Amino acid sequence: LTFDIGKIGGGWVSSRLMTKGRTLDRARKIVMLFSAVCMASSIVAILATSSLGFVLLISVATFGHGCFATTTF
C-alpha cells in the first residue's frame, strides 16, 4: 500500500515542482533525493525495539521506493 501511495505521490510532487517553474530534470532529482532518504530508513529498521517501529520504518522505505520508481522511468 505504501509503495502505491509513493508512486502516486512521487509523480504528483514532480509534476507540482514543474508547474512551479523547476525543470524536468531538477524536479525528478529533488524527488529522487527525498526518496533515497526515505529508503535509508530500512537500514535502521533492524534496530527497532518494537514490531510496530519496524513496520513503520519499512513502510517509509517502501514509500520512498515507490517515489523513486516513478521518477526513474
Side-chain angles (χ1 to χ4, degrees):
L1 181 63
T2 56
F3 182 80
D4 295 329
I5 294 169
K7 286 187 76 81
I8 294 168
W12 180 80
V13 169
S14 62
S15 295
R16 185 89 167 136
L17 288 170
M18 285 189 294
T19 60
K20 296 271 186 187
R22 304 276 189 205
T23 63
L24 172 64
D25 189 49
R26 177 64 63 187
R28 289 176 68 192
K29 286 182 180 176
I30 290 170
V31 173
M32 291 170 88
L33 176 64
F34 171 76
S35 302
V37 171
C38 286
M39 287 189 285
S41 69
S42 65
I43 296 169
V44 297
I46 198 164
L47 302 174
T49 57
S50 68
S51 53
L52 177 63
F54 179 79
V55 169
L56 290 175
L57 288 168
I58 294 298
S59 295
V60 170
T62 56
F63 173 81
H65 182 64
C67 289
F68 196 89
T70 299
T71 57
T72 55
F73 298 110

